[in-house]
Amino acid sequence: MSFGHVPTVGVGELAEADFLLDVREDDEWQAGHAEGALHIPMSQFTARFGEVTEAAPQDGRINVICRSGGRSAQVVMYLAQQGLDAVNVDGGMEAWAAAGRPVVDDTGAAGHVL
């Protein structure tokens, strides 16, 4: 599946303080996510767009993540059309976990990527 040119960032290039938007569905989020990420499922994204603009850093980049990169690439294209600085996290939560980054569940315990 091709999304044209979507700006990407590798997991290793992300700092702990970087803003992260997780667009996976609720069951995926509950099983395991990056601590501190904002969760807005892609299926609810356009309806909840205002939450992104409120939470995102005013002059900062929005790093968008999903399981492997397909859904987040679509959201990045939408954000770019709205004039926002957004990048797709290459490899998604699978790459996040593979890189040894912490994955937590809804209770804050160790989680896993669905």
Side-chain angles (χ1 to χ4, degrees):
M1 195 178 303
S2 174
F3 299 107
H5 177 70
V6 176
T8 60
V9 64
V11 169
E13 298 172 66
L14 293 173
E16 202 171 304
D18 285 345
F19 181 78
L20 190 63
L21 171 64
D22 190 322
V23 297
R24 296 174 304 143
E25 295 305 314
D26 289 336
D27 61 331
E28 296 173 285
W29 170 265
Q30 290 162 1
H33 56 269
E35 198 167 13
L38 173 64
H39 177 232
I40 300 180
M42 185 174 161
S43 61
Q44 302 169 20
F45 194 76
T46 52
R48 296 177 60 189
F49 178 70
E51 293 176 48
V52 176
T53 56
E54 281 181 31
Q58 292 306 309
D59 296 321
R61 186 175 70 190
I62 301 171
N63 301 287
V64 187
I65 197 165
C66 67
R67 181 172 175 265
S68 60
R71 288 171 287 181
S72 50
Q74 293 176 61
V75 171
V76 165
M77 290 192 310
Y78 176 81
L79 291 170
Q81 289 170 350
Q82 309 311 310
L84 298 170
D85 181 10
V87 296
N88 191 22
V89 178
D90 193 29
M93 283 300 297
E94 291 178 331
W96 181 274
R101 296 284 187 111
V103 176
V104 297
D105 68 13
D106 264 1
T107 68
H112 64 280
V113 178
L114 266 189

